[in-house]
Amino acid sequence: MQPVKVYADRRSQPSRAVIIFCRVNQIDFEEVTVDLFKSQHLTPEFKKVNPMGQVPAIVDGRFKLFESHAILRYLASVFPGVADHWYPADLFTRAKIESILDWHHTNLRRGAATLVQHTALAPFLGLTTSPEAVEQAEKLLMQSLGVIESLWLKGDAKFLLGNPQPSIADLSLVCEIMQLEILGDEVCDRFLGAHEKILIWMDNVRKTTSPHFEEAHELLFQVKARMLQSKAAASNQAFEPSTKLKIASKL
Amino acid sequence: MRECITYCCSSLVLWVLEVRLLLSLEPDAPAQLAGTVLGPLAPCTFLASKTHMLLVSGCANSQARSRIQRHGTEASALAASSTWAATSSTVFSCISGTPPRQGQNRRLNLSACSGSGGIGRGTPAGEEQILAEQQGSEKPPQASLIAMQPVKVYADRRSQPSRAVIIFCRVNQIDFEEVTVDLFKSQHLTPEFKKVNPMGQVPAIVDGRFKLFESHAILRYLASVFPRVADHWYPADLFTRAKIESILDWHHTNLRRGAATVVQHTALAPFLGLTTSPEAVEQAEKLLMQSLGVIESVWLKGDAKFLLGNPQPSIADLSLVCEIMQLEILGDEVRDRFLGAHEKILIWMDKVRKATSPHFEEANELLFQVKARMLQRKAAASNQAFEPSTKLKIASKL
């Protein structure tokens, strides 16, 4: 039996979700780093693994798969040692989890990922940003956080849907939100500060997947530290206070 | 042979349910009891809970087989302690090949599984259990004699995922009731509808007390819960299913984002009084074009009849084709600009239409009526315009 190959860059939030899932469930896997900053996802070799040129992707024997949710579903179904709560066999509980996973794509992910791309990453990758896009993304992100809290974390729910244990939806959504870290503590607090239930829930997910959760996020915090340094350097070089203010409010 | 398997499964289901009831009466001793009672059955429940799909499909993949062997021991122990709701419902789906009765497709129920008839409504195991836990005093649903209600499908046929769900129900003879939620009259924003779907979006379904939104989740649910839905729609084989899941996930952030944004910012915006953004339209057009290219080059390779080269359509085929169909309201010219260069997509769309005819055409009737009205208005607006430059602009945008 060959281990499952997981092609991932730990700077990508769905990559982290898949890695944490594998570790927590003791799946026999081999992590293959695809460095996005070095454009390794665009090489012909990687396109053979995933024609979309995106991480994460897996190769299990001759079976190839991309899209993180599909990967999580597959791993949970194919490895019998994965506890049922991750992707419940019960059709009704499962359907509710599917609904959250689908919602994630067009709401939380769209909000959070667009925001990070247009603020934190764009200046470093030389992408052009659009204030309208940022504004829309911020609005969508805020709305999405509100929905999670009011709909799926009702009462004193420990995990989404009031489940006593986490599912792949908990893991995927929490990893999505975790990426806000690289926007800096100030921005992070602006989004999460008013959502106490989300903070508690995120901590519950972290605890149940510890120490793999922290380990998978190490690189994120390194990137965050580097970004803060370059921001501080850029800030010192700036002359006009108005520019400073703009950077502070954007990042 | 088949009767034999059905009988065994039926006995197992009833037995499992009995144990489950027993457990609910004796909340203090479940683990111990589970170990004792289920010990000999552990391999069986393990297969049911994790790999019944593979069993059904004949365990064709040797890789999966060896993996099951490898994890067998560990999983048996796990299955013995797994939740009863999970076990019973998968055993239901394990025997889902058994047609319950003549006529319309009804949800899995006890009478269908035991073959004795008349026991009553099927148990939405998890939901009922969760509800019972939440509400405390709810009595166990197993013994109730409530007649099966049709599934309520809240939809507006002008919305492409609504059409996909309606076509799916009709093709599979699912007993459903269509409740129109008029988006143009903002009925999706009413407090009544928010009780059905707090997101205020269509489609949404209510099946008994079970509510669900997001079209892909609905399609998966309907395909899993109605035993007479043919396997090809949402294959039990884990490998085929995973590939379909991958397409469904991809759909959200690519084809849907492209197509829906183009339609909103061009065709719908002027009628709904929304502000449009040229950059958004340009980006969406690019994404749509790319997505069509991906469908053709990755999933319609060779002379594939349906996505992934499958001989019959899946819920991914239906969902994606319905998404592309909405380009109709942009007018023939724009539609052809996107689809003209993608012959394989046109052939594939026609195959999906044929496989779901006449329900496909019927569900899309309203779309063509909207298209005709839009063309009329456009023609009227065109006649009123004086400058040729304006005309040209409209033609190129719409």
Side-chain angles (χ1 to χ4, degrees), chain B residues 330-392:
Chain B
L330 299 177
D332 295 348
E333 202 184 317
V334 183
R335 181 202 59 202
D336 290 347
R337 181 154 60 83
F338 286 110
L339 299 180
H342 294 102
E343 203 195 342
K344 276 189 180 179
I345 289 201
L346 291 170
I347 296 171
W348 161 62
M349 288 175 75
D350 201 51
K351 294 226 162 93
V352 173
R353 181 189 62 74
K354 276 183 195 150
T356 56
S357 186
H359 312 293
F360 189 91
E361 293 86 341
E362 193 240 341
N364 279 294
E365 258 171 31
L366 186 61
L367 179 77
F368 285 99
Q369 285 171 20
V370 173
K371 180 183 177 179
R373 272 205 302 276
M374 283 198 168
L375 284 176
Q376 278 174 7
R377 288 203 205 180
K378 213 171 71 176
S382 223
N383 287 339
Q384 282 175 356
F386 295 110
E387 295 166 29
S389 67
T390 317
K391 252 191 198 167
L392 211 67

Side-chain angles (χ1 to χ4, degrees), chain B residues 255-281:
Chain B
L255 181 67
R256 171 156 297 165
R257 195 163 167 181
T261 313
V262 170
V263 169
Q264 273 168 22
H265 279 264
T266 55
L268 296 182
F271 292 91
L272 297 173
L274 298 173
T275 51
T276 63
S277 135
E279 293 87 35
V281 174

